[in-house]
Structures are given as structure tokens and as C-alpha cells.
Amino acid sequence: MSVVVIEFITLDGVVTDPDGSQATPLGGWAFRYGPEAVAGDKFRLGRTMDDGVLLLGRATWELFSRIWPGRDDPFAARMNAVPKLVASRSLAPGDMSAWTNSHLLDGDPAEAVKREQRDVVVAGSLSVVRQLMAADLVDEYRLLTFPTVLGTGRRLFPADGPHADLECLGSERAGAAVLTRHRRVGH
């Protein structure tokens, strides 16, 4: 089992509001490069989506549950079919019907990940990612880096965050962005 974090990110490490759905002043930066920059399986998840589980925070799940069920391309089929665990203190189990295969997480995300037998993909969901980082549970980061510098916003790796030594597994151009894959050293 491995934990893979996937994020749209700017050159200065900001992950805040890549699609503009949070209506921040600089939001929508990832989508300014056109749909080809973000469409499809840009994170090269492939079989991980077939055999793994998607872990999402409440806000990301609410956004995705409005977007993905109405799409019918091959990647959308994978997104809709994958089991989804939702970390939330405000949603109820009955709220999960908006997106198939969604289940409310019982308890702490880090504890749930420790019990999980399948590979876990965390999309967006910065608060969940930070909990997993603090518990030293993230095995790999797949970052789609856009040629934008915002100067402000929440960063994936905060100044006061935990230390991590990473090795680069690869990089490739993906439209206007660059996909990089980094794994913790020794994993």
C-alpha cells in the first residue's frame, strides 16, 4: 500500500484555488492554460485508480461530486468508479449519495490510511494532506506545476512543516505544465 498525493501547484508552491471555485482574487490559475492542461489522467494514475481508493476532504469532495458524475470520458469513468473516502466532520453518511462509491470516513484520516489495504490517492484536500504529512504517511507526490507565481496563498509545503527528503522519479511536460513525481527517500 502506498499513499500518493496529487496537486495542481504553482512555481512558488501555492495550491490554493487552482480552478477558481473558491473565488479567491487569484483563483483559476491552472485553468487559464486551457482544458488540455488539466483534462484526462495528467497525474498518470492509471491502474491505481482501478485498484486503489481516493481520499478527499469535504470541500474537494463537494466540488468533485458536482463535476465528475456528469462526465463520460474514460478518466471520468475511473473517477466515478473508484471507491472514495471522505474526511469530514460536517457531512453525514446520507450526504454521500451525490457521488457513487463515496463513503464517509470514520475517524482520523491518518488512522484510516494506516488501516487501508489499497493504494490511497489524495487529490487536493490540503488539510488531509497536511495530516498525512505530519504522520509521515505520504509516499509519493505527483505535482502538476503551472508556470505561475502567485506570491500569496496556501502552500503545499509550509515553512513550519515537517522535514522530508525526496527523490525525483521523473518529470514530463503536460501541456503548459510539468508533471513531476517525487518519492520519499528510502520508500
Side-chain angles (χ1 to χ4, degrees):
M1 189 277 297
S2 66
V3 177
V4 178
V5 168
I6 62 173
E7 296 282 350
F8 291 144
I9 192 167
T10 65
L11 280 175
D12 58 342
V14 174
V15 294
T16 304
D17 202 11
D19 65 345
S21 65
Q22 297 170 8
T24 61
L26 299 173
W29 47 267
F31 289 73
R32 290 187 188 117
Y33 297 94
E36 61 280 348
V38 295
D41 187 8
K42 290 291 191 245
F43 292 101
R44 307 292 187 253
L45 295 170
R47 293 196 45 80
T48 303
M49 293 294 283
D50 297 333
D51 302 328
V53 62
L54 190 58
L55 174 59
L56 303 165
R58 179 201 47 82
T60 302
W61 181 84
E62 287 178 338
L63 174 66
F64 284 10
S65 71
R66 291 189 302 268
I67 296 171
W68 290 106
R71 295 183 179 175
D72 63 359
D73 59 87
F75 184 68
R78 279 185 158 150
M79 287 291 286
N80 290 323
V82 67
K84 293 163 267 301
L85 300 176
V86 183
S88 173
R89 290 187 280 273
S90 60
L91 293 173
D95 298 331
M96 298 292 99
S97 64
W99 196 12
T100 58
N101 299 320
S102 294
H103 307 280
L104 194 58
L105 192 66
D106 185 26
D108 177 72
E111 291 304 316
V113 165
K114 289 176 187 176
R115 293 188 304 266
E116 186 58 55
Q117 300 294 310
R118 301 166 286 190
D119 288 337
V120 177
V121 175
V122 186
S125 308
L126 187 58
S127 62
V128 172
V129 170
R130 293 226 175 123
Q131 289 176 50
L132 299 180
M133 290 166 78
D136 197 29
L137 293 173
V138 178
D139 297 299
E140 184 179 339
Y141 296 92
R142 294 187 189 181
L143 308 176
L144 198 56
T145 305
F146 288 82
T148 299
V149 175
L150 296 179
T152 185
R154 294 177 66 198
R155 287 173 167 71
L156 176 59
F157 302 105
D160 61 348
H163 172 83
D165 289 317
L166 305 172
E167 64 179 319
C168 183
L169 298 175
S171 65
E172 64 183 271
R173 188 170 181 158
V178 175
L179 173 66
T180 56
R181 295 178 54 220
H182 303 273
R183 176 178 59 202
R184 287 189 306 164
V185 172
H187 286 255

